[in-house]
């Protein structure tokens, strides 16, 4: 089977309220582009009726549904979608209609005309709460720093990737990955365009603050050794200050005599505690990396596909 021209990959986690409306809007957009296409929906272990609704969509030959065995998280679900996709241009988006499907042709057009490898998107007039936007702002700054790519909005999942980039990404087998950042490792030409952003159509976000903090750590620890460097430079600075303080104590001891120095012993204790604290912190960070090496070394699958549902009578078993 040859490649289709455009595929859309959508991770789905408890989105029963949004799926019918998503398809109602997405289908005409895809048909209107006059290109061969496929729609890949990944059920990321939903607890509601999402999977049943998704399966009903497979009556249409353009739709494939990837059923995962449990909830693996948004980025792993997209990776599972990438593993079955067969298209020259792959567009990712959310299932909650915060990314309007009507913007897909724009992304595809920019990619084709500019011969780009990745086309990202900036959410115009973002419709999210302040508490959701603030962590995104921090993620954007960090992502820009560590990837060295000056994209403005990393969190927006409405993105287009060329098949070569997708193929390279599925070779990675990395756990806890952040797809927009991973893509920049393999992409030479990157563009970014403005897209509309809407309120969630139904249901609620599955990203509480704790998950966002995790994502932030994934991003930093998976793509850079910046935290380790920070500890190293912090350590050098602390030692330097320690030496200065030692010289100060010695001078003061000579000037004011032994009694003064004995009284100052508690200051030394304080300094010691700071150092011990720093060491524990450093060990913690190193432990985090070792933990990651352990996870990678076990080579457990990042996701497990239960089944791929298509309109073929025979369901494809992976
Ligand atoms: N999602 C997923 N697995 C998860 C969490 C989310 O597949 O564990 C999907 C979800 O169905 C949606 C997209 O990822 O299509 C973005 O999730 P959400 O709208 O909850 O995040 P937010 O818009 O608040 O960033
Ligand atoms: Mg959302």
């Amino acid at each position: 089977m040859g490649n289709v021209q455009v595929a859309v990959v959508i991770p789905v986690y408890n989105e029963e309220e949004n799926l019918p409306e998503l398809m109602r809007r997405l289908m005409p957009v895809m048909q209107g582009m006059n290109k061969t296409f496929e729609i890949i929906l990944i059920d990321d272990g939903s607890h509601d009726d999402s999977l049943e609704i998704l399966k009903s969509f497979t009556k249409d030959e353009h739709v494939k549904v990837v059923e995962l065995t449990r909830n693996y998280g948004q980025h792993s679900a997209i990776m599972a979608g990438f593993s079955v996709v067969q298209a020259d241009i792959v567009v990712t988006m959310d299932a909650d209609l915060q990314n309007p499907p009507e913007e897909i042709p724009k992304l595809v057009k920019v990619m084709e005309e500019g011969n780009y490898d990745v086309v990202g998107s900036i959410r115009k007039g973002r419709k999210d709460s302040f508490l959701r936007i603030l962590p995104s702002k921090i993620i954007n700054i960090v992502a820009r720093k560590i990837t060295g790519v000056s994209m403005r909005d990393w969190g927006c999942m409405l993105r287009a990737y060329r098949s070569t980039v997708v193929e390279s990404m599925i070779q990675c087998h990395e756990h806890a990955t952040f797809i927009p950042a991973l893509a920049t490792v393999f992409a030479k030409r990157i563009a970014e365009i403005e897209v509309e952003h809407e309120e969630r159509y139904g249901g609620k976000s599955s990203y509480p603050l704790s998950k966002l903090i995790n994502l932030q750590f994934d991003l930093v620890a998976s793509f850079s050794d910046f935290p380790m460097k920070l500890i190293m430079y912090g350590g050098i600075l602390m030692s330097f200050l320690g030496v200065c303080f030692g010289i100060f104590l010695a001078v003061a001891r000579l000037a004011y005599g032994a009694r003064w120095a004995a009284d100052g012993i508690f200051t030394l204790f304080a300094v010691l505690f700071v150092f011990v604290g720093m060491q524990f912190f450093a060990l913690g960070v190193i432990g985090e990396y070792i933990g990651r090496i352990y996870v990678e070394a076990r080579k457990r699958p990042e996701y497990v596909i239960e089944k791929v549902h298509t309109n073929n009578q025979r369901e494809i078993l992976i």
Side-chain angles (χ1 to χ4, degrees):
M1 194 173 87
N3 275 7
V4 296
Q5 287 172 298
V6 183
V8 188
V9 172
I10 310 174
V12 174
Y13 181 55
N14 298 340
E15 304 277 9
E16 58 180 3
E17 292 169 53
N18 303 321
L19 293 174
E21 179 66 11
L22 173 72
M23 281 312 255
R24 194 189 66 71
R25 283 174 58 181
L26 180 61
M27 254 323 173
V29 171
M30 297 310 287
Q31 282 156 349
M33 281 200 291
N34 290 325
K35 290 184 189 300
T36 50
F37 70 93
E38 61 178 356
I39 298 173
I40 294 176
L41 296 138
I42 306 98
D43 175 61
D44 189 15
S46 300
H47 302 300
D48 63 2
D49 277 338
S50 295
L51 181 62
E52 290 313 309
I53 300 171
L54 289 178
K55 279 197 211 160
S56 74
F57 295 156
T58 59
K59 285 192 201 85
D60 189 307
E61 57 175 5
H62 296 102
V63 179
K64 265 188 205 154
V65 171
V66 178
E67 178 187 346
L68 299 186
T69 49
R70 64 166 173 85
N71 180 247
Y72 291 91
Q74 181 186 0
H75 291 262
S76 297
I78 296 174
M79 279 296 196
F82 282 168
S83 74
V84 300
V85 85
Q86 284 176 317
D88 301 329
I89 294 178
V90 181
V91 177
T92 55
M93 64 181 277
D94 288 351
D96 58 358
L97 287 163
Q98 288 198 284
N99 307 136
E102 292 76 18
E103 301 279 16
I104 294 174
K106 226 159 83 180
L107 283 173
V108 173
K109 191 159 170 272
V110 171
M111 175 159 261
E112 282 181 337
E113 287 177 359
N115 196 22
Y116 290 110
D117 297 319
V118 172
V119 180
S121 59
I122 305 163
R123 289 166 281 193
K124 236 185 327 188
R126 194 165 162 198
K127 307 277 192 320
D128 272 318
S129 68
F130 172 73
L131 272 183
R132 183 65 189 77
I133 290 179
L134 186 70
S136 298
K137 282 217 153 79
I138 301 172
I139 288 179
N140 284 338
I141 295 168
V142 174
R144 265 199 298 269
K145 266 249 140 9
I146 63 179
T147 58
V149 177
S150 61
M151 272 206 270
R152 269 171 56 194
D153 190 353
W154 292 83
C156 185
M157 274 302 165
L158 184 56
R159 282 162 183 277
Y161 304 99
R162 204 164 275 284
S163 58
T164 44
V165 175
V166 171
E167 275 157 26
S168 306
M169 284 198 280
I170 51 178
Q171 300 298 319
C172 287
H173 300 294
E174 274 177 54
H175 289 251
T177 197
F178 189 81
I179 289 172
L182 186 62
T184 61
V185 177
F186 305 107
K188 197 153 111 194
R189 293 169 54 79
I190 300 173
E192 203 171 27
I193 61 166
E194 285 204 335
V195 294
E196 296 294 332
H197 192 238
E198 292 172 13
E199 304 244 9
R200 210 169 211 287
Y201 183 77
K204 58 179 191 332
S205 167
S206 30
Y207 271 101
L209 199 59
S210 58
K211 260 197 184 174
L212 285 171
I213 292 170
N214 265 338
L215 196 66
Q216 176 79 42
F217 202 89
D218 285 348
L219 180 61
V220 177
S222 303
F223 290 94
S224 85
D225 53 2
F226 178 70
M228 287 219 255
K229 285 223 176 76
L230 197 69
I231 296 294
M232 203 178 76
Y233 292 133
I236 292 169
L237 184 72
M238 288 294 289
S239 317
F240 178 72
L241 291 177
V243 171
C244 291
F245 194 59
I247 293 170
F248 165 75
L249 284 178
V251 171
R253 157 77 177 72
L254 289 177
Y256 301 110
R259 270 189 63 107
W260 185 90
D263 290 341
I265 197 136
F266 293 109
T267 327
L268 274 175
F269 269 115
V271 174
L272 186 72
F273 285 141
V274 172
F275 278 110
V276 171
M278 284 291 293
Q279 277 176 344
F280 271 107
F281 185 50
L283 275 178
V285 173
I286 292 165
E288 185 69 40
Y289 281 93
I290 293 174
R292 268 155 208 278
I293 294 168
Y294 177 56
V295 168
E296 298 296 343
R298 279 187 310 200
K299 290 215 186 311
R300 282 194 190 158
E302 186 193 345
Y303 51 80
V304 180
I305 297 176
E306 179 92 42
K307 250 183 208 162
V308 178
H309 307 269
T310 62
N311 83 332
N312 283 348
Q313 292 298 358
R314 195 169 51 88
E315 282 174 341
I316 304 167
L317 278 167
I318 300 249

